[in-house]
Amino acid sequence: MYDDIEFIIACGGKSTRNFPHSKAVAHKSLLPFGDVRLIDYVLKDIIRIGGRHVTIVCSDETTIGAFKQALAPSPDVEEKLRKSGKGKIADVLKSTFLPDDMDIKYVIQDKPWGTSHVLGLAHRVSPNRHGVLIFPDDLIDSSAMPQPFIKHLLDAFMKNQKQILLTGVEKEDVSNNAILQDKRLIEKPKHPRSHIAGYSPCVFPKACLDSIERETTVIEKMGHLPESLPLNEWVYTDGINSFLDNGGENEGYHIKMFMLNPSEYEMLDTGNLELYEAAQIRELLINSVFMEKNREIAKRLLSLLA
């Protein structure tokens, strides 16, 4: 259904904000989350809407090997679980198996040059598609809705493919997010005039990714990032703003925050240890196949603490 869309999952970095949980893990997206792992949660929604083209950007071959092993199906283990009467666990395991027609590509980002660099590298191996950038620590709970949030986001993009769409979440403190101000994105604003924070998933038209890939080539030839970057890192907001400033806006391209309705969907930010543990507790109590037992344990513990 979304054959002209590449889903780009950023899995580089050392995941230090989730230490110690992530210390011995190839990447934090392989951390457990509810019954599955963070990466499974992300892939689940892509699969549900019929997405089949995925690029996972990693920092090295070792991390790629860990993902390949983690995402490989285990039908023999599933069968053993069923034969031993553990059908619920077998169902959970099976839910992590990828469809046979899933096209998973892996790309190495060997220099920590930022998320625009991630986009440029990913677009280089899939140059004919629009892109959806996903940070695997930005999870959106779609369990109570007929369709995942990402489907509504992409359907809105399909109606006007000159939009650059960020997932918009209203919050008091936007100091660690991107905001839209004067038709451009500001990353980690010091004096924000908006309380709409930008999250992933973000949708990028092919033309914007073409521009970012060209800049990627220039930066790689230079061997270093431009000194003018405000955060000393080439983040995706820089790539978007540069595209608009260098002709994209004149061609009708523009940025828009596609708002997440909190009464329908909930953003689960797992980007550091505190947030991850809070989201993990929520997931175990709300969406786990063992949530009834988990709730009994929680009630007993709360009664002891009262």
Coordinates of all heavy atoms in Angstrom, one line a residue, residues 2 20 56 79 163 230 261:
Y2 N 2.0 1.2 0.7 CA 2.9 2.4 0.8 C 4.2 2.0 0.1 O 5.3 2.2 0.7 CB 3.1 2.8 2.2 CG 1.8 3.3 2.9 CD1 1.2 2.5 3.8 CD2 1.3 4.5 2.6 CE1 0.0 3.0 4.4 CE2 0.2 5.0 3.2 CZ -0.5 4.2 4.1 OH -1.6 4.7 4.7
P20 N 21.6 2.2 33.1 CA 22.4 1.0 32.8 C 21.6 -0.1 32.0 O 22.2 -1.1 31.6 CB 22.7 0.5 34.2 CG 21.6 0.9 35.1 CD 21.1 2.2 34.5
I56 N 17.2 0.4 8.4 CA 17.6 0.6 9.8 C 19.1 1.1 9.8 O 19.9 0.4 9.2 CB 17.5 -0.7 10.6 CG1 16.1 -1.2 10.7 CG2 18.1 -0.5 12.0 CD1 15.9 -2.6 11.4
E79 N 6.8 -23.4 18.2 CA 6.2 -24.7 18.3 C 6.4 -25.4 19.6 O 5.4 -26.0 20.2 CB 6.8 -25.6 17.2 CG 6.1 -27.0 17.1 CD 6.7 -27.8 16.0 OE1 7.6 -27.4 15.3 OE2 6.2 -29.0 15.8
Q163 N 4.2 18.6 1.6 CA 4.3 18.8 3.0 C 5.5 18.1 3.7 O 5.8 16.9 3.3 CB 3.0 18.3 3.7 CG 1.7 19.0 3.3 CD 0.6 18.3 4.0 OE1 0.0 18.9 4.9 NE2 0.1 17.2 3.5
P230 N 24.3 25.2 14.6 CA 24.1 25.7 16.0 C 24.3 24.7 17.1 O 24.7 25.1 18.2 CB 22.7 26.2 16.0 CG 22.0 25.5 14.8 CD 23.1 25.3 13.8
N261 N -3.8 13.5 18.6 CA -4.9 13.7 19.5 C -4.7 12.9 20.8 O -4.8 11.6 20.7 CB -6.2 13.4 18.8 CG -7.4 13.7 19.6 OD1 -7.4 13.8 20.9 ND2 -8.6 13.7 19.0

